[in-house]
Amino acid sequence: MRRATLILAPWAAIVALWYAIHYSGLVNPALIPTPHAVAARFMELARDRLPMDVWMSTRRVFIGVTLGIVAAVPVGFVLGWYRSMRDFIEPLVNFFRALPPIALIPLVIVYFGVDETAKVVILFYASFFSGVIVMYEGIAQISPIYVRVARTLGATDAEIFAKVIVPLTVPHILTAVRVALGVAWATLVASELIAAQQGLGALIQNASSFFQLDTIYVGIICIGLIALAMDLALRFATRRLVAWQDRIA
């Protein structure tokens, strides 16, 4: 009961504050729909377009993050393990990481058109560079003593890589996935500026054109809840896959 209370208390506080702002008179009530109005709009959309919007956005994020992490893991590993490569390439990585994906939309449209590929490219870009940063920072902090001990015990290079380096890399890979997911969901609306007809970003943009604030709230809340569910699933997987870390610590 105590744990459930701790989990639910912040959400209850947010809803209470939401109602308080709406009825306080400090803000025009028309600008802040009540939680029950947003819930009613959610039920309407759930019977109409919302399931497809959720599916399309989730699919785009999943594809973009998967491709981004698949590319980021080996690049991050090389940068983290080989200092000379890190000194050479790190400035380029930081340069491109600092570029907001929304600024690249005109170029993406020119090179990839306005189909699904363009949207996935934006999400891939955001996921890749965030994943690379997490990976190489994590790999660079791995203590070389593990490798030295393995060599002392007679392990070959292949055994060191498979039984020492890979297990030590798993926590950083999972962290990179979590960070990339967060960045991808934050970039979703920007990616769906590219002529998207379906998706939560498209839902929010269309609603803004008609001043449908309750629909905008529905889209924002859905993005947050899906991202939260994915993060919780990854945290659960992390506890299962790297339980050995607690014993080492």
Side-chain angles (χ1 to χ4, degrees), residues 92-125:
L92 292 176
V93 172
N94 287 325
F95 172 82
F96 285 105
R97 181 176 66 92
L99 296 178
I102 194 171
L104 303 177
I105 288 179
L107 290 177
V108 171
I109 292 175
V110 169
Y111 297 136
F112 298 98
V114 295
D115 295 330
E116 287 296 304
T117 302
K119 302 170 184 60
V120 172
V121 165
I122 292 291
L123 295 172
F124 167 84
Y125 179 91

Side-chain angles (χ1 to χ4, degrees), residues 125-136:
Y125 179 91
S127 303
F128 173 76
F129 285 102
S130 61
V132 166
I133 294 295
V134 174
M135 279 298 300
Y136 87 67

Side-chain angles (χ1 to χ4, degrees), residues 37 49 57 74 97 103 108 119 137-138 147 169 186 218 223 235:
R49 60 173 291 177
S57 292
R97 181 176 66 92
V108 171
K119 302 170 184 60
E137 288 289 350
V147 177
T169 305
V218 169
I223 289 175
R235 288 171 61 184

Side-chain angles (χ1 to χ4, degrees), residues 4 14-15 53 62 78 106 121-122 156 176 210 216 222:
I14 290 174
V15 172
D53 288 329
F62 179 80
V78 169
V121 165
I122 292 291
T156 63
F210 299 98
I216 294 175
C222 285

Side-chain angles (χ1 to χ4, degrees), residues 134-150:
V134 174
M135 279 298 300
Y136 87 67
E137 288 289 350
I139 296 297
Q141 294 174 13
I142 292 178
S143 174
I145 192 171
Y146 296 112
V147 177
R148 293 172 187 165
V149 169

Side-chain angles (χ1 to χ4, degrees), residues 181-235:
L181 271 175
V183 172
W185 279 109
T187 311
L188 175 68
V189 176
S191 73
E192 292 183 343
L193 284 171
I194 306 176
Q197 299 300 315
Q198 293 178 317
L200 293 171
L203 176 72
I204 292 171
Q205 293 168 50
N206 293 338
S208 67
S209 301
F210 299 98
F211 203 68
Q212 297 173 335
L213 297 183
D214 51 355
T215 302
I216 294 175
Y217 274 77
V218 169
I220 292 172
I221 291 171
C222 285
I223 289 175
L225 289 177
I226 297 170
L228 176 61
M230 286 186 169
D231 188 70
L232 290 174
L234 276 173
R235 288 171 61 184

Side-chain angles (χ1 to χ4, degrees), residues 62-76:
F62 179 80
I63 294 174
V65 169
T66 300
L67 295 177
I69 292 299
V70 167
V73 167
V75 173

